[in-house]
Amino acid sequence: MDDPRLDKWLWSVRVFKTRPEATAACRAGKVFIGELEAKPGRDIHVGETVTVRVGVVTRTLKVVGLPKSRVGAKLVPDFMQDLTPPAEYERAKQATLEHMLARDRGQGRPTKKNRREMGRLFGFD
């Protein structure tokens, strides 16, 4: 079987929702194979380590298999092994939380009502 292109592999193992997104990420320098920046048309081989920056998370993936087309979510572990440290996912959760709590510029300090709502959200009351 011919080795697939990198962008096609990233799409088929559900790292990106669409193949053009995977191609754009490769061109933007967000995808590395080993220590080298990878182009979307590069062939990928079993055993290689791929590092992908998706949003605020830097995922580290090991190529275990080469699917012929996009696979279902339950079959993804047959084709890749996720080596991303748990701290990276915690950092993403923290960034999401900070985004939720961010106030628009010029709103000033939270009101008493806002503080009570935040307290209820985090279980301080």
Side-chain angles (χ1 to χ4, degrees):
M1 183 174 114
D2 293 351
D3 294 332
R5 292 169 48 109
L6 176 61
D7 59 346
K8 186 173 181 181
W9 184 83
L10 290 169
W11 166 75
S12 64
V13 295
R14 298 178 170 268
V15 175
F16 291 101
K17 218 173 206 181
T18 64
R19 189 163 169 193
E21 282 181 16
T23 304
C26 292
R27 288 190 178 135
K30 296 181 180 182
V31 181
F32 294 86
I33 295 181
E35 299 294 321
L36 301 174
E37 193 173 309
K39 293 183 178 181
R42 182 193 187 285
D43 288 344
I44 190 149
H45 309 285
V46 174
E48 290 183 323
T49 302
V50 180
T51 305
V52 184
R53 180 113 175 126
V54 182
V56 296
V57 179
T58 303
R59 296 182 65 186
T60 305
L61 312 168
K62 183 174 182 182
V63 180
V64 176
L66 304 171
K68 292 183 180 179
S69 64
R70 191 164 169 97
V71 295
K74 290 183 179 179
L75 298 177
V76 168
D78 296 340
F79 298 102
M80 76 166 195
Q81 181 181 5
D82 194 356
L83 304 175
T84 308
E88 197 67 36
Y89 290 117
E90 286 298 321
R91 197 176 79 178
K93 286 181 186 176
Q94 184 68 26
T96 303
L97 184 62
E98 288 173 4
H99 179 69
M100 282 181 17
L101 293 177
R103 297 178 58 79
D104 291 333
R105 188 173 178 93
Q107 275 193 329
R109 293 176 54 181
T111 63
K112 191 171 188 177
K113 180 181 177 184
N114 295 141
R115 288 195 308 270
R116 286 181 180 152
E117 288 173 353
M118 282 191 282
R120 279 190 221 107
L121 178 66
F122 294 111
F124 294 137
D125 289 341

